[in-house]
Amino acid sequence: MFLSIASLRIEIMPVTMLRQNCMMVWDQNIKKGIISDPGGDLSFVIETIEADDVDIQAILLTHGHFDHVGVTTALQQYLQEKYKREVPILGPGIEDQFLLEKVAKDAASFGTSAEHVQNVNPTRFLKDQEILSFEGMEFEVLHVPGHTPGHVVFYEAKARFMITGDVLFKGTIGRADFPYGNGKLLIQTIKDKLLPLGDDVYVLPGHGIGSTIGYEKLNNPFLI
């Protein structure tokens, strides 16, 4: 699935048996971009990058669950060999390090194929409100814990969209019933950090179809 927002192009690639939305975002004028949450299906992700002829500047991770990060390490290795330069893994928050250290174990316990699935050691963890600048785009990092303690959202202010991972979906919010989850904190942080950004901001979630902040304000039972 493709979306075009301003000069940016977004390709949504559902991966793994959980149909997690890995995304590639790039500037159509210069063909440079980023990949977010490469959770699985490495060959499919690579084929998409090659087909669109995009120069990937970084891999962004919203949180540490295996369906969002499973083939991150393998993808980084492929891209660095292709470009002969570093392709950094950025995110999530350091609070999710414990999840990144057991990606392979969690994937196996869920019955997911272990091919190319590896634990992840990010180039660096991210902090709330820092700015990630790339050629053609700029993301503000928003720490939104509750689904996982180190979950972050990537907000592109000029193009008016955000990559929300498993924080906010159309009509619902992320699970918070894990031992490390916190539903009350998740709802409050969504209200404090995401809803004020504007009704027109487009929400690109980690699973399922997109939405807008305005729609969620009116229709999401967790936020009304």
Side-chain angles (χ1 to χ4, degrees):
M1 175 182 173
F2 284 100
L3 293 172
S4 291
I5 304 177
S7 67
L8 300 183
R9 182 89 159 165
I10 303 166
E11 182 157 6
I12 300 171
M13 298 171 275
V15 297
T16 82
M17 66 177 69
L18 298 177
R19 310 308 289 162
Q20 189 280 125
N21 290 331
C22 173
M23 301 181 204
M24 181 165 63
V25 184
W26 72 98
D27 186 300
Q28 298 179 85
N29 298 319
I30 59 175
K31 303 289 281 187
K32 294 187 177 183
I34 59 93
I35 289 276
S36 71
D37 287 4
D41 302 330
L42 179 65
S43 61
F44 170 52
V45 174
I46 290 174
E47 287 169 7
T48 302
I49 295 170
E50 299 291 351
D52 293 323
D53 191 28
V54 177
D55 183 334
I56 300 300
Q57 300 175 75
I59 301 170
L60 309 185
L61 302 180
T62 61
H63 64 294
H65 283 158
F66 74 89
D67 59 317
H68 288 254
V69 306
V71 300
T72 298
T73 299
L75 180 61
Q76 182 194 43
Q77 292 170 348
Y78 169 82
L79 292 173
Q80 290 185 156
E81 290 177 6
K82 173 182 172 64
Y83 301 141
K84 308 302 180 187
R85 60 169 169 79
E86 182 186 34
V87 178
I89 299 169
L90 304 177
I94 195 170
E95 299 87 351
D96 271 15
Q97 184 173 13
F98 75 102
L99 291 170
L100 299 176
E101 291 174 345
K102 63 188 188 82
V103 170
K105 179 181 177 181
D106 286 348
S109 67
F110 200 83
T112 300
S113 170
E115 185 179 11
H116 303 302
V117 174
Q118 301 173 58
N119 296 346
V120 181
N121 182 24
T123 306
R124 69 180 181 87
F125 293 100
L126 299 177
K127 296 181 179 180
D128 187 44
Q129 296 185 310
E130 72 170 285
I131 302 297
L132 302 178
S133 296
F134 306 105
E135 292 186 68
M137 68 193 75
E138 185 174 87
F139 293 96
E140 181 179 3
V141 177
L142 300 171
H143 181 215
V144 185
H147 177 67
T148 69
H151 199 302
V152 295
V153 166
F154 299 104
Y155 171 51
E156 220 295 344
K158 289 184 179 179
R160 308 296 290 162
F161 73 87
M162 63 176 71
I163 298 171
T164 60
D166 286 358
V167 162
L168 181 61
F169 304 97
K170 187 172 184 178
T172 190
I173 61 172
R175 289 179 58 183
D177 57 343
F178 302 108
Y180 46 79
N182 187 326
K184 184 177 292 186
L185 177 62
L186 176 59
I187 291 171
Q188 191 59 54
T189 311
I190 291 171
K191 289 182 175 180
D192 290 346
K193 291 187 176 180
L194 304 188
L195 299 191
L197 295 174
D199 291 356
D200 64 316
V201 173
Y202 196 76
V203 175
L204 291 165
H207 302 264
I209 62 175
S211 185
T212 65
I213 291 296
Y215 180 91
E216 298 311 308
K217 282 182 179 179
L218 293 175
N219 297 285
N220 193 314
F222 294 94
L223 305 177
I224 297 173

